[in-house]
Amino acid sequence: MILGEDSIHLPKDFPVRVQRLYQQFNVMMAVSIFGGMVAAFPYIVWELWRFISPALHPREKRIPSISSMQSGCFL
C-alpha cells in the first residue's frame, strides 16, 4: 500500500513537537497578508493613478499606457 497508515513508520516513543507555539499562526498570517497585497495591488495602482493623473498634461498621461502595453507584450 502506497498511502495510508503503513506509508510512514515512526517509533512508538516519537513525540510530535512544535518548535514555537505561535509558529503555525505566524505562517498563516504571513500568507494571508501577502495574498491580500497581491490581490489588492491592481486596485492600489488604479487609485494611485486616479490621484496622480489630474496633475498631468495630456502628453504625459499617455506615457503610462504605452509603457503598460510594452510590459504586457513583454510578459
Side-chain angles (χ1 to χ4, degrees), residues 27-42:
V27 169
M28 289 176 19
M29 290 301 290
V31 169
S32 299
I33 290 170
F34 181 73
M37 287 175 22
V38 168
F41 184 73

Side-chain angles (χ1 to χ4, degrees), residues 1-73:
M1 179 177 221
I2 295 175
L3 297 175
E5 294 177 9
D6 299 332
S7 63
I8 300 174
H9 299 286
L10 296 174
K12 295 290 183 192
D13 60 342
F14 186 77
V16 178
R17 293 183 225 172
V18 177
Q19 296 294 329
R20 296 182 189 142
L21 183 61
Y22 52 85
Q23 186 175 10
Q24 185 177 3
F25 178 74
N26 284 348
V27 169
M28 289 176 19
M29 290 301 290
V31 169
S32 299
I33 290 170
F34 181 73
M37 287 175 22
V38 168
F41 184 73
Y43 180 74
I44 293 170
V45 170
W46 172 251
E47 288 296 326
L48 283 173
W49 176 248
R50 286 183 56 197
F51 177 74
I52 294 171
S53 66
L56 299 176
H57 296 290
R59 181 173 175 260
E60 295 170 335
K61 286 184 181 180
R62 66 186 172 120
I63 293 173
S65 64
I66 292 171
S67 64
S68 66
M69 286 181 4
Q70 290 173 346
S71 64
C73 290

